[in-house]
Amino acid sequence: MNTPGTIDRPLTHDPKKQASMKPSTSEPAGSVTSDFSTSDANDSRQNRTRQMQLIPEALARAHMHERLREADVERQAMRLVIARRMQRRAERASLRARRALAMAVMQ
């Protein structure tokens, strides 16, 4: 049931023209938080809207930061693999040189 004037369908979308959020007389005292002025409500609403608009940008920034970190880790892993490969190659060359020297001394 969406009749005009309900929460789902207010009479106006202008916050200044909407009914204020004052505590009703049927509620016990202290059950509702203190009133906010209209300017505070507008400021918080604008701030919330600005923050909501910046969420995708912040998510994209975090996503890019994570991708850059992963790329750095990947580069370090590749450097380690290449360094180990070069170390094995150097060890094999050293063994070949020792064998060649031993063969030269034996003859």
Side-chain angles (χ1 to χ4, degrees):
M1 172 193 283
N2 287 338
T3 59
T6 62
I7 293 174
D8 292 334
R9 198 172 212 155
L11 288 172
T12 177
H13 290 287
D14 185 9
K16 292 179 183 174
K17 294 181 182 175
Q18 289 179 4
S20 64
M21 304 268 301
K22 293 186 178 177
S24 66
T25 55
S26 62
E27 291 181 353
S31 66
V32 178
T33 58
S34 63
D35 292 340
F36 293 104
S37 68
T38 310
S39 64
D40 289 343
N42 285 340
D43 289 346
S44 67
R45 193 172 283 127
Q46 285 177 346
N47 190 27
R48 185 173 59 234
T49 303
R50 192 173 304 118
Q51 287 173 346
M52 296 280 285
Q53 288 173 347
L54 294 177
I55 286 174
E57 188 176 325
L59 285 173
R61 192 176 297 116
H63 188 73
M64 284 300 297
H65 180 71
E66 183 65 22
R67 296 288 88 72
L68 287 172
R69 192 188 64 75
E70 287 176 3
D72 285 341
V73 168
E74 185 79 21
R75 276 194 292 273
Q76 284 180 334
M78 283 303 290
R79 281 191 208 124
L80 183 62
V81 167
I82 291 169
R84 285 183 179 163
R85 189 181 303 146
M86 291 174 74
Q87 182 181 4
R88 285 193 301 266
R89 191 177 294 168
E91 287 171 357
R92 284 194 303 265
S94 173
L95 284 174
R96 279 196 303 273
R98 277 187 181 176
R99 283 191 199 120
L101 182 62
M103 294 294 280
V105 169
M106 293 291 254
Q107 290 182 1

